[in-house]
């Protein structure tokens, strides 16, 4: 329950920063952080449209193709919490620049790949440095902006990049693959990295480290092993089915390791993920929100692209352009939500509204047909879903880092990225299985003799609409669960103590924490 004497703050308060002095270069730093975050988010989807071309060029099998995606997901998801704590211990500027340089180098190697093993190794290295970069960027944002109104704007920009980046990745991947080469889906990262590295070196000041901090080695082993097993298990479930030992065996091992990790964190002297970070209701609600929305949004990005390209015959570029309304609405609502809505109503109504808008968009998509027009069947659902995504991502980054001390900013930021990665892995496995089962069931019920192209098209369409119904259910459940966990009202901080009230108004305010 929130403390009775809590007072509202008009946005994420200055609690994440250790000082009230405003950095005069903070808006340029925001541009650097946004460029780095866009590079990471783009890479989650930009290679999807390039995979067929890469497969033809490097002559690897369809069974091997999944490893181009899985190699990135395994290293990225498995190392996020470790890298987030590393940023706190050795300094966020160091890990930010190291992540950028390493990501750029891995992208260059991937673009120059001469065989399958070279490409997969490069993708795994991208995941490693992405895990170092993503939490460093968000924690830099959380500690750079101190004024509540400015923080709201900064997190609005960050949320817009996070919400729109996946759709932009599809557009960029389609354009680069069609007009240049699949290799440019890797080389394009060098452009973003060059901008961010230059800005990081020149603009980002020295970042404080956690004094006397030590790395929780048992915690690192347990959580990294658990996340690796979960992501690997879900990846195998998506490609080979839930019944295979490589799926359920790794999932069981992953759950067991995460249980061990959670038990250890309450006993460790310097835990990797301090319980104080996740036991706050608002922060926990933000982490759950990003996990559920990550699972549900997979249905939009993957199966909608399948529908447009396979059923409607759109090219890669056309399907990417078709996503632009969703990108535009998600960016707009993320910015407006963080600057206008968060200070007034807080994260809870935004999450509920965002989840319900996404659910409505998924239900609307179930009306698609084999010959549907874009304006009549896709434009409306894409705009509604984009608005829902914007509201969700507009609050997640701000709420998930609200109230944490500077020494915990990195691991709190990593928790957001971990939730998104794990949610995407769950969605990949679950929705792929559902689509395959629905398609097979339709063929069993309607097949008489050899399957005709019309029957196969209708069977695939039935699989897509079934997935959209399930996504609607996921988002509806998210509205209930996340709405119940998040506190009502704006983000709050404790009221000033009598001693504090007696101090002059010009004196810097002390470290504050959110009301419990």
């Amino acid at each position: 329950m929130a403390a009775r004497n809590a007072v509202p703050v008009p946005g994420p308060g200055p609690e994440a920063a250790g000082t009230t002095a405003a950095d005069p270069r903070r808006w340029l730093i925001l541009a650097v952080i946004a460029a780095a975050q866009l590079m990471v988010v783009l890479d989650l989807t930009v290679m999807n449209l390039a995979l067929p071309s890469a497969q033809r060029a490097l002559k690897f099998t369809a069974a091997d193709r999944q490893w181009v995606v899985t190699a990135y997901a395994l290293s990225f998801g498995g190392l996020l919490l470790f890298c987030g704590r590393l940023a706190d211990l050795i300094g966020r500027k160091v890990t930010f620049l190291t992540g950028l340089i390493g990501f750029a180098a891995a992208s260059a190697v991937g673009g120059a790949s001469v065989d399958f093993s070279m490409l997969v190794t490069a993708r795994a290295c991208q995941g490693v440095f992405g895990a170092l970069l993503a939490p460093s960027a968000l924690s830099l944002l959380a500690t750079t902006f101190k004024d509540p109104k400015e923080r709201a704007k900064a997190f609005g920009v960050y949320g817009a990049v996070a919400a729109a980046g996946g759709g932009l990745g599809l557009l960029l991947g389609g354009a680069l693959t069609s007009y240049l080469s699949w290799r440019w889906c890797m080389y394009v990262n060098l452009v973003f990295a060059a901008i961010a590295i230059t800005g990081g070196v020149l603009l980002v000041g020295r970042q404080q480290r956690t004094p006397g901090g030590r790395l929780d080695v048992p915690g690192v082993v347990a959580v990294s092993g658990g996340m690796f097993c979960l992501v690997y298990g879900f990846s195998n479930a998506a490609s080979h089915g839930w019944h295979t030992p490589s799926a359920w065996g790794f999932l069981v091992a992953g759950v067991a390791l995460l249980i061990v990790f959670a038990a250890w964190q309450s006993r460790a002297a310097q835990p990797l993920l301090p319980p104080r970070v996740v036991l706050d209701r608002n922060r926990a609600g933000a982490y759950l929100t990003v996990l559920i929305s990550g699972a549900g949004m997979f249905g939009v990005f993957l199966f909608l692209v399948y529908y447009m390209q396979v059923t409607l015959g759109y090219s890669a570029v056309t399907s990417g352009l078709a996503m632009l309304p969703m990108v535009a609405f998600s960016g707009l609502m993320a910015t407006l939500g963080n600057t206008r809505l968060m200070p007034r109503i807080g994260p809870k109504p935004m999450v509920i509204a965002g989840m319900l808008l996404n659910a409505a968009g998924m239900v609307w998509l179930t009306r698609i047909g084999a010959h549907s027009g874009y304006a009549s069947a896709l434009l409306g659902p894409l705009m509604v879903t984009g608005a829902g995504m914007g509201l969700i991502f507009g609050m997640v980054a701000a709420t998930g880092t609200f109230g944490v001390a500077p020494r915990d900013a990195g691991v709190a930021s990593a928790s957001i990225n971990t939730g998104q990665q794990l949610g995407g892995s769950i969605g990949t496995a679950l929705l792929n299985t559902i689509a395959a089962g629905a398609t097979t069931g339709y063929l069993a019920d309607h097949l008489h003799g050899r399957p005709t192209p019309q029957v196969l098209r209708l069977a695939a369409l039935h699989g897509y609409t079934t997935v959209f119904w399930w996504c609607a259910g996921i988002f509806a459940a998210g509205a209930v669960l996340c709405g119940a966990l998040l506190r009502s009202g704006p983000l709050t901080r404790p009221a000033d103590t009598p001693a504090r009230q007696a101090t002059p108004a010009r004196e810097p305010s002390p470290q504050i924490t959110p009301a419990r």
Side-chain angles (χ1 to χ4, degrees):
M1 295 178 59
R4 189 170 295 181
N5 64 342
V7 294
V9 228
E15 67 285 352
T19 175
T20 57
D23 190 329
R25 301 168 298 182
R26 58 195 178 279
W27 297 110
L28 293 174
I29 294 174
L30 173 61
V32 171
I33 294 171
Q37 176 64 14
L38 181 60
M39 181 180 69
V40 174
V41 176
L42 283 175
D43 218 67
L44 295 174
T45 55
V46 72
M47 275 297 294
N48 289 353
L49 294 178
L51 275 179
S53 298
Q55 182 180 351
R56 289 191 296 270
L58 301 182
K59 297 179 174 60
F60 54 87
T61 66
D64 288 335
R65 188 170 62 185
Q66 64 154 330
W67 285 104
V68 178
V69 176
T70 303
Y72 181 90
L74 286 174
S75 54
F76 184 76
L79 295 174
L80 272 168
L81 286 177
F82 164 61
C83 291
R85 176 52 78 193
L86 202 61
D88 295 328
L89 293 177
I90 68 175
R92 285 172 282 276
K93 180 175 181 178
V94 173
T95 54
F96 181 72
L97 292 176
T98 303
L100 283 169
I101 294 170
F103 200 94
S107 299
V109 172
S113 295
V114 296
D115 56 30
F116 173 72
S117 60
M118 186 175 176
L119 177 61
V120 170
T121 302
R123 289 287 288 170
C125 291
Q126 277 186 313
V128 171
F129 289 106
L132 192 62
L133 174 60
S136 300
L138 181 52
S139 57
L140 274 176
L141 183 66
T143 54
T144 296
F145 287 87
K146 304 167 182 65
D147 178 76
K149 292 183 179 180
E150 289 187 349
R151 281 170 62 89
K153 293 178 182 178
F155 276 106
V157 172
Y158 184 92
V161 171
L168 285 174
L170 293 174
L171 173 60
L172 188 61
L176 292 174
T177 303
S178 299
Y179 297 121
L180 293 173
S181 164
W182 67 269
R183 298 180 185 276
W184 279 95
C185 292
M186 304 284 279
Y187 289 146
V188 71
N189 292 325
L190 300 178
V191 178
F192 293 104
I195 295 171
I197 291 170
T198 303
V201 171
L202 298 178
L203 300 173
V204 177
R206 183 179 179 182
Q207 298 292 305
Q208 70 179 60
R209 307 176 184 180
T210 300
R214 291 184 301 176
L215 191 62
D216 174 19
V217 176
V220 169
V221 173
V223 75
S224 298
M227 286 297 300
F228 179 93
C229 289
L230 285 182
V231 174
Y232 185 77
F234 282 123
S235 297
N236 277 286
S239 56
H240 301 107
W242 296 91
H243 63 281
T244 58
S246 60
W248 62 262
F250 275 92
L251 291 176
V252 170
V255 171
L257 284 171
L258 291 184
I259 292 173
V260 170
F261 170 74
W264 170 251
Q265 294 306 283
S266 62
R267 303 172 58 185
Q270 296 191 29
L272 178 68
L273 179 59
R276 61 180 175 267
V277 173
V278 295
L279 291 182
D280 177 81
R281 279 181 55 183
N282 277 338
R283 287 197 294 269
Y287 304 149
L288 180 63
T289 296
V290 75
L291 187 147
I292 293 175
S293 61
M297 286 315 301
F298 182 80
V300 177
F301 287 128
L302 182 65
F303 291 96
L304 197 53
V305 168
Y306 281 168
Y307 169 68
M308 289 189 291
Q309 294 191 13
V310 177
T311 304
L312 299 183
Y314 288 8
S315 66
V317 175
T318 303
S319 60
L321 289 172
M323 292 284 192
L324 279 181
M326 183 173 68
V327 173
F329 270 75
S330 60
L332 176 65
M333 292 305 297
T335 304
L336 291 179
N338 221 309
T339 57
R340 303 295 183 184
L341 299 180
M342 276 275 285
R344 293 179 173 83
I345 63 177
K348 182 172 183 173
M350 291 176 62
V351 167
I352 294 174
M355 291 286 190
L356 292 179
L357 281 172
N358 284 343
M362 295 297 101
V363 172
W364 197 345
L365 281 173
T366 62
R367 301 179 60 187
I368 59 175
H371 304 287
S372 295
Y374 175 76
S376 60
L378 296 179
L379 181 59
L382 285 173
M383 291 190 295
V384 170
T385 304
M389 290 173 60
L391 287 176
I392 290 171
F393 282 98
M395 59 71 58
V396 161
T399 306
T401 57
F402 182 86
V404 296
R407 67 182 185 274
D408 295 328
V411 75
S413 304
S415 298
I416 297 173
N417 289 282
T418 300
Q420 186 176 26
Q421 179 62 44
L422 188 56
S425 298
I426 294 171
T428 300
L430 178 63
L431 299 177
N432 258 329
T433 303
I434 290 170
T439 302
T440 302
Y442 184 94
L443 289 174
D445 293 339
H446 296 82
L447 193 58
H448 304 288
R450 291 177 61 85
T452 63
Q454 176 68 10
V455 171
L456 292 175
R457 186 180 299 110
L458 292 175
L461 188 64
H462 179 67
Y464 303 151
T465 55
T466 302
V467 163
F468 294 144
W469 277 116
W470 273 84
C471 289
I474 290 172
F475 286 122
V480 174
L481 294 174
C482 300
L485 185 56
L486 289 161
R487 293 191 186 97
S488 299
L491 298 175
T492 57
R493 59 184 174 90
D496 290 338
T497 61
R500 171 71 186 94
Q501 291 170 346
T503 58
R506 66 180 180 274
E507 183 176 332
S509 59
Q511 186 73 24
I512 55 178
T513 56
R516 298 286 174 125

